[in-house]
Amino acid sequence: MLLTPTFLRKTLAALGAPLLALLAQTSYSQAQPADTRIPAAVETALQRAKIPREAVSLLVVNVDGKTAPSLAWRTQQPMNPASVMKLVTTYAALDQLGPAFVWRTPVYLGGPVVDGALRGNLYIQGQGDPKLVLERLWLMLRRLQGMGVKVIVGDIVLDRSAFQLPAHDAAGFDNEPWRPYNASPDALLINYKAVAVNVAPDTGAGVARIQYDPPMFGMDNQQTLALAAPNSDCGDWRSKMQLDMANPQRIAFNGSYPASCGDKSWSIAPAQPERFAAKAIEGMWRELGGKLTGSAHDGTVPQGLQPAFQLESPALSEVVRDINKYSNNIMAQHVLLTLGMQRTGVTNYESARQSLAQWWTARLGNVEQPAVDNGAGLSRNASITANGLGRMLQSAWVSPVMPEFVSSMPIVGVDGTLRRSRSKFAGSAHLKTGTLRDSTALAGYVDGISGQRYVLVAMANHANATAARAAWDALVDWTAAQ
């Protein structure tokens, strides 16, 4: 019989959770004792970074778990994995929802279309699509115009009621509310609640011209900025622009822009995020030449109204790739919330965490549970052990969704958040990175030159944790050289 990838995938799917749970509970520690000696190059790099060995957790083990770990240091200690927690969220989602899962955003017409005019409200109902970005919003509104709607004689009503979440303070995590990674989930998430500020120098006019996408209705954003002195270095051009967010209806700058930077783009989360969808959708509608007699605002879809069409998201496999390759926080949170929505019908963090905990037990048995918090790793309260994460990665390796899961991770020295890695073995590993002020982590799969494949987990929780990158590169090299 020919063992094709399709045959293997179907066979693993048929065996299902019992096999994966059994494999996960087969303790690799029952073999010969694990080596707890930290490799010399890794130890040296940690010392240079002034990170004590008691602040790190390290695991390197064969992907099949049949032999003792090559390295096991403080693997039972709960650690904050930063964005490496996204591996837990994305594997759980791929396993439960399937790689082809999609989100749908229905659009409703609240009246007849007569001579190019919709005689009634337009309703858009958010269902948690994490990738309703600028281009797809354009397609949605263009499709509406293709149905003959040029004028909306009424309002644009946005139904964001699918998510039941508490109020969010965008400044609460690090007092930088304008950074897109601090945006909160939203049932109708438009462009990650971020505006792309596109800057282009016009040396003839002596200014930098600024364009904003999506166009935000009702905002009076600054259109030009003075150029810096001739021959100014580009350097930290964002700081030189001196962002001013004092007025919630305006994105402004008090500095200058070096012409040597050329064209640049900067994503900014404007004030009043709860109004982002309304401003973006109305702004885009009017930009496309559409007319609106009313306004865009929150509301609910009337009962019994049937959708005119539904905008479909990219497949989960593509969404997971964006999450892990580029460490997108808000998309990861949406995926976690969707797990709760699909299992319980309730979309909040409590139901989402319960759903993930039940899945973890089904897949990994009594392996210590992670504290996933919001599922993205943008948290001071998230934690997982190297042992638990290592077991999960071994489980994922023999699961039907292994190809999608592994390919979603950055390739060392090639792309994503690892494109600038200084590892000597570029292309030899798929690994997820994670960084917070006092936490840094790395986890995934490494191909050894021997032909063996290894699970690698490295976490540091310390005030100097961000200096651990050289140590992680050394650990990847040590693993790949085996």
Side-chain angles (χ1 to χ4, degrees), residues 8-225:
L8 291 173
R9 180 189 291 274
K10 290 182 177 179
T11 302
L12 286 169
L15 291 171
L19 173 62
L20 296 180
L22 178 62
L23 290 170
Q25 295 181 63
T26 303
S27 176
Y28 40 62
S29 63
Q30 292 176 354
Q32 62 187 26
D35 195 340
T36 60
R37 294 173 295 178
I38 298 177
V42 178
E43 185 88 70
T44 299
L46 289 172
Q47 290 174 356
R48 287 175 180 167
K50 298 182 180 179
I51 300 173
R53 20 186 14 248
E54 291 73 22
V56 302
S57 181
L58 305 170
L59 174 67
V60 175
V61 62
N62 195 289
V63 74
D64 61 18
K66 294 180 179 179
T67 58
S70 304
L71 171 62
W73 174 253
R74 299 178 76 245
T75 60
Q76 303 290 336
Q77 179 65 36
M79 303 282 284
N80 188 326
S83 283
V84 166
M85 186 62 80
K86 292 180 175 72
L87 293 180
V88 178
T89 301
T90 53
Y91 173 39
L94 286 168
D95 193 39
Q96 293 185 81
L97 305 176
F101 175 86
V102 295
W103 290 261
R104 293 181 174 87
T105 303
V107 177
Y108 304 79
L109 304 183
V113 179
V114 181
D115 296 329
L118 169 61
R119 303 289 178 174
N121 295 334
L122 175 73
Y123 297 91
I124 302 175
Q125 187 175 50
Q127 296 288 344
D129 184 346
K131 202 174 181 182
L132 218 173
V133 292
L134 177 67
E135 298 84 355
R136 297 185 60 242
L137 173 62
W138 184 90
L139 289 172
M140 174 194 288
L141 298 181
R142 283 290 294 158
R143 183 169 179 181
L144 182 65
Q145 291 184 338
M147 297 172 65
V149 179
K150 307 300 180 183
V151 180
I152 299 171
V153 184
D155 297 332
I156 299 176
V157 180
L158 310 178
D159 190 337
R160 301 162 58 219
S161 61
F163 280 12
Q164 301 172 24
L165 303 175
H168 173 73
D169 180 8
F173 186 74
D174 56 10
N175 200 35
E176 296 185 346
W178 61 87
R179 293 190 181 275
Y181 63 71
N182 279 320
S184 62
D186 195 309
L188 187 58
L189 179 70
I190 304 296
N191 211 52
Y192 316 125
K193 293 186 181 177
V195 172
V197 180
N198 304 300
V199 190
D202 182 345
T203 54
V207 298
R209 303 196 181 276
I210 309 175
Q211 176 187 345
Y212 301 85
D213 290 315
M216 302 291 285
F217 181 77
M219 292 192 70
D220 180 27
N221 294 330
Q222 184 173 331
Q223 301 299 308
T224 62
L225 179 65

Side-chain angles (χ1 to χ4, degrees), residues 54 93 114 138 142 165 188 330-331 356 377 398 408 464 477:
E54 291 73 22
V114 181
W138 184 90
R142 283 290 294 158
L165 303 175
L188 187 58
I330 198 167
M331 292 179 78
L356 193 143
V398 295
S408 75
N464 298 329
D477 290 348

